[in-house]
Amino acid sequence: MFYSDKATTVESRLLWRDINADVERQWNKQLKTTFLVSVQEWSPTHGMDDKTYVSNIFVLDGLYKFDRKKSLRAEVQYLYSKDYEKDWIVGLVEFNLAPRWSFSVSDMYNMGDTKVHYYNGSVSYTRKNTRLQLSYGRNRAGYVCSGGVCRYTPAYTGANLTFTTSF
């Protein structure tokens, strides 16, 4: 067991904390909204010292169903933080033709340190357990998690073709 100069075990230090709450409202058969607040705290040193970053995240999501097969979803997110790269804002619009097609455009903008836009447009086709997605945009380096599986993605600008299947 490792000890710091404060005689505190490394294992007792914070790695990640996420406290959140959401409110959903079904306005009628066609319109549903969700509001989420999340307070996250994480260690950039993976718990090796007492330094942590804190983020306050606010998400507003709206879904409008035109009929059984067509829907439009819009989402706005705001991340407030005094740490790391500071504040972010994200906007997304997604049109779905169930059960196969989905089209989306989004922009993630760093209002803090970098002042960089991460724009993206995509189209996807799903059949049974297989999904094919083609997207184009500017992507930030980081982890992408889906269905409990996370993978690291490097930063890039350009096209991306993703093939996902489950069995």
Side-chain angles (χ1 to χ4, degrees):
M1 191 173 288
F2 298 101
Y3 290 90
S4 71
D5 55 348
K6 296 180 185 177
T8 306
T9 63
V10 170
E11 288 80 15
S12 69
R13 295 214 171 108
L14 175 72
L15 293 174
W16 178 267
R17 179 181 311 154
D18 183 7
I19 300 168
N20 59 65
D22 65 62
V23 176
E24 291 185 6
R25 172 83 191 258
Q26 186 79 41
W27 298 91
N28 54 41
K29 288 183 178 183
Q30 293 147 320
L31 180 62
K32 177 183 173 182
T33 57
T34 304
F35 179 68
L36 169 84
V37 176
S38 178
V39 178
Q40 298 178 353
E41 187 174 359
W42 59 281
S43 170
T45 63
H46 308 287
M48 296 306 288
D49 64 30
D50 290 331
K51 183 175 184 167
T52 58
Y53 293 154
V54 178
S55 300
N56 300 289
I57 303 164
F58 306 92
V59 180
L60 180 60
D61 185 279
L63 175 66
Y64 184 83
K65 294 182 179 180
F66 296 98
D67 56 38
R68 287 183 51 240
K69 294 197 172 211
K70 292 184 287 236
S71 66
L72 183 67
R73 187 175 79 87
E75 183 177 310
V76 176
Q77 296 185 27
Y78 176 68
L79 181 145
Y80 169 76
S81 179
K82 294 180 181 179
D83 303 310
Y84 196 43
E85 293 180 340
K86 313 285 188 271
D87 299 355
W88 290 83
I89 191 164
V90 177
L92 169 109
V93 176
E94 178 181 78
F95 181 70
N96 295 294
L97 293 168
R100 305 238 190 271
W101 292 95
S102 178
F103 307 87
S104 71
V105 292
S106 67
D107 187 19
M108 179 170 64
Y109 176 67
N110 179 253
M111 300 172 2
D113 290 345
T114 66
K115 308 284 189 214
V116 174
H117 283 276
Y118 294 90
Y119 52 86
N120 199 305
S122 71
V123 59
S124 68
Y125 178 79
T126 304
R127 181 153 185 220
K128 296 184 180 178
N129 298 335
T130 302
R131 182 172 187 248
L132 184 65
Q133 178 179 347
L134 177 63
S135 61
Y136 180 84
R138 182 178 198 170
N139 289 305
R140 170 171 202 252
Y143 286 93
V144 175
C145 300
S146 178
V149 177
C150 297
R151 61 183 170 83
Y152 180 79
T153 303
Y156 67 90
T157 299
N160 185 27
L161 182 64
T162 306
F163 178 78
T164 309
T165 191
S166 60
F167 46 92

